[in-house]
Amino acid sequence: MIKIVKDKDGLYQFVLKSGNGQVLLKSIPFNSENETDSTIKDIKALKKSNGKFFERRTNTDGRFLVELKNSTGKIVGSSGLYTSEAGMENGILNITNSLE
């Protein structure tokens, strides 16, 4: 599930949630709702074309996270932290499924 929210500064962000409502990924802030919608459409198109739009990372504490990229390679969102690589891979699967 994708939800678009507007923050107190008037910036927009999309949030990807699992079926049970758990936040899987938050986007970077966007200046307009139109820019946010355009980015979501871009990412959905990448998913359909099996594009590589995830970057797997490890933070300084050794925990894992996923960064979501658009078609130009710009990072547009980040997941929460995972304690294992398997958990991260499961998170990627859940993020991918939430893009439908």
Side-chain angles (χ1 to χ4, degrees):
M1 171 176 42
I2 302 172
K3 183 176 181 180
I4 296 175
V5 294
K6 186 176 181 181
D7 70 15
K8 61 182 175 158
D9 296 324
L11 298 174
Y12 293 85
Q13 185 176 39
F14 64 86
V15 178
L16 299 178
K17 292 185 176 186
S18 66
N20 65 5
Q22 178 184 1
V23 174
L24 301 170
L25 183 136
K26 290 183 181 181
S27 77
I28 61 171
F30 296 96
N31 292 318
S32 69
E33 190 169 6
N34 187 40
E35 185 182 6
T36 308
D37 285 334
S38 178
T39 300
I40 292 168
K41 287 177 186 173
D42 181 50
I43 292 165
K44 285 183 174 185
L46 280 173
K47 178 185 179 262
K48 289 179 184 174
S49 69
N50 292 321
K52 295 182 180 180
F53 53 100
F54 291 112
E55 186 167 322
R56 293 154 174 88
R57 299 249 187 210
T58 307
N59 75 358
T60 57
D61 295 334
R63 294 189 285 174
F64 301 89
L65 67 136
V66 177
E67 294 182 324
L68 181 65
K69 293 182 172 186
N70 67 9
S71 60
T72 65
K74 178 182 176 186
I75 294 171
V76 295
S78 296
S79 72
L81 295 172
Y82 298 95
T83 57
S84 70
E85 192 169 356
M88 177 184 63
E89 293 301 328
N90 188 49
I92 289 171
L93 180 62
N94 289 330
I95 291 167
T96 301
N97 290 338
S98 72
L99 287 169
E100 296 179 3

